[in-house]
Amino acid sequence: MDRIHILATGTSRGIGAAIAARLDRPDVRFVGHSSRPGDDARIPADLDEPGAAAALWNEVLERLDGRIDVLVNNAGIFEAAPIDLPDADWLAAWERTMRINLTASAELCRLAVRHFATRPGGGRIVNVASRAAYRGDSPAHWHYAASKAGMVAMTKSIARGHAKDGVLAFAVCPGFTMTGMAEDYLESRGGDKLLADIPLGRVAMPDEVAETVRWLALDAPASATGAVIDINGASYVR
Ligand SMILES: NC(=O)c1ccc[n+]([C@@H]2O[C@H](COP(=O)([O-])OP(=O)(O)OC[C@H]3O[C@@H](n4cnc5c(N)ncnc54)[C@H](OP(=O)(O)O)[C@@H]3O)[C@@H](O)[C@H]2O)c1
């Protein structure tokens, strides 16, 4: 059987690196990505730049001999924009987060849907959103929550609109996920108060998110299309 061709964004570190490790298997041809040039395993593209998403897609398509079966949109930023910033700075922060987290993902989804629809086997999209899509985020992260809510709504629209073409679309909503050094990570997100709010008593590990992405990318039944899976230790149950 042909190997499954997968493009995942933001695989240089954190959750994306765990996804790359999970998908490093003989039945998959995997191409990763990061914002800047690194090693050969990742194609660089700064998704804040106009045209970068399309250039990335085309380069990956070429590297994978003209076929991509699964797109994983994982790249994202979590940058603060306090509401007392000067107007222009607040707006610039809003637009940067939207461009990287939502618009670039949308451009890649559109290219994927059009590509998948030309093939009998269709294809899969897995979008890494966030608990913030449902729960909201801090006063300095309206843009982040809005970008992730947009991603969830986009995923559902793709699932509903393109199932007939064999396109399956899923979203994953992680809560706090330990992507840096444990102490620094917890401190930056609120320390013990954060843990008190998670019934499981700990934040998620990148590999827990990665395993969910792997399952959605390779094994989830077609009827699950449109599903959004929470990975947050029951800190937000909906
Ligand atoms: N960690 C959490 O607590 C958490 C919770 C909920 C959802 N999420 C979501 O999970 C995803 C991964 O998060 P993470 O915590 O693993 O992030 P991370 O460790 O900060 O890594 C972010 C990834 O995105 C890439 N990226 C950043 N800016 C980019 C740009 N301008 N253009 C292209 N790529 C860019 C980075 O590439 P470089 O290395 O080149 O910068 C890196 O590969 C994100 O979508 C995030 O919103 C994370």
Side-chain angles (χ1 to χ4, degrees), residues 10-16 33-36 45-48 74-77 100 128-130 144 148 174-177 179 185 189:
T11 56
S12 52
R13 50 198 165 86
I15 293 168
H33 150 267
S34 62
S35 72
R36 334 162 241 269
D46 181 352
L47 296 175
D48 195 24
N74 166 76
I77 55 169
I100 295 170
V128 181
S130 169
Y144 179 79
K148 296 301 187 175
F176 292 118
T177 307
T179 47
Y185 180 85
R189 285 355 194 231

Side-chain angles (χ1 to χ4, degrees), residues 35-73:
S35 72
R36 334 162 241 269
D39 63 34
D40 198 43
R42 290 182 293 277
I43 294 183
D46 181 352
L47 296 175
D48 195 24
E49 296 292 326
L56 171 65
W57 177 266
N58 289 331
E59 199 171 335
V60 175
L61 207 51
E62 199 168 308
R63 197 187 276 205
L64 291 175
D65 304 319
R67 172 168 61 89
I68 297 174
D69 303 306
V70 179
L71 165 68
V72 179
N73 276 310

Side-chain angles (χ1 to χ4, degrees), residues 13-15 176-189 203-206:
R13 50 198 165 86
I15 293 168
F176 292 118
T177 307
M178 188 83 82
T179 47
M181 298 297 288
E183 267 177 31
D184 293 349
Y185 180 85
L186 293 179
E187 209 42 55
S188 72
R189 285 355 194 231
V203 300
M205 299 310 288

